Amino acid sequence: MTSVYSESTTERVPGRAWTVRLQGYSDRSATVTCTSEACRMPPRSKDLASLRAFAARHAAAHARAATVRPNAWCHCGSQRCGAHPDIRAHCAGAVVMILRHDTTVRRVWSVEEVCETCAPLIRNATVLARAARSPQRPAATAAPVQVPAAVRPAGVAGGFSSPSATTADTTAAPARRSRRTSQRADRRRLGQAR
């Protein structure tokens, strides 16, 4: 199973998905299939419990071996968001790796690269991993921007002042009462008037 991501390109690529399926037959036997052709599956068997355990382990192995690609498109969006047809959403946000498994049906496991918007909308999905930040994209916490002192206003209406303002430039604003305090006082006055 070769699923490790090693490219460092910024070009968008389709989101990957692997589906592991337990398929039953009329003679009470079953097989396990995987959408990845390179995977070796056990032979058809009547031991459903061991096949189900193998399928769950195989899906988990795909999830462990695959590194989330930060430049991937949402796999759910490429399928026209068929995994959450009742809830409309626009694909956005970072890419995450999810495991989708319906515990009632217990026959299909899907590992997919989807966007952060679709992930919580997909039923029976668990987020396994998030895309690592690429060095080309700056982190959200950038250094604060410094404004030159000449541009800063000396005093601002409402009682606030600039750090560069002198005490002569600022006028003391009257103390403001909080809204919550005034509401409590009004309730007390209403209670005393009764």
Side-chain angles (χ1 to χ4, degrees), residues 140-165:
T141 57
V145 178
Q146 301 247 342
V147 179
V151 178
R152 292 182 186 155
V156 181
F160 298 100
S161 63
S162 151
S164 65

Side-chain angles (χ1 to χ4, degrees), residues 63-76:
R64 278 191 309 275
T67 303
V68 185
R69 302 172 302 169
N71 62 332
W73 287 103
C74 176
H75 180 264
C76 180

Side-chain angles (χ1 to χ4, degrees), residues 2-24:
T2 57
S3 305
V4 177
Y5 172 71
S6 61
E7 297 174 14
S8 63
T9 179
T10 57
E11 185 177 321
R12 300 292 288 212
V13 294
R16 297 172 293 175
W18 299 271
T19 302
V20 180
R21 189 178 309 270
L22 182 66
Q23 185 175 351

Side-chain angles (χ1 to χ4, degrees), residues 52 100-109 123-124:
R52 186 172 285 121
R100 192 167 49 152
H101 176 64
D102 189 348
T103 54
T104 15
V105 178
R106 296 174 37 169
R107 292 184 190 160
V108 180
W109 294 258
R123 299 180 81 195
N124 305 308

Side-chain angles (χ1 to χ4, degrees), residues 115-183:
C115 69
E116 285 179 323
T117 303
C118 288
L121 302 176
I122 299 173
R123 299 180 81 195
N124 305 308
T126 305
V127 175
L128 302 174
R130 298 185 182 282
R133 291 193 184 273
S134 65
Q136 293 88 10
R137 291 187 204 169
T141 57
V145 178
Q146 301 247 342
V147 179
V151 178
R152 292 182 186 155
V156 181
F160 298 100
S161 63
S162 151
S164 65
T166 61
T167 54
D169 293 338
T170 58
T171 56
R176 292 183 55 186
R177 284 183 13 192
S178 81
R179 182 182 229 168
R180 181 176 275 173
T181 307
S182 64
Q183 288 174 350

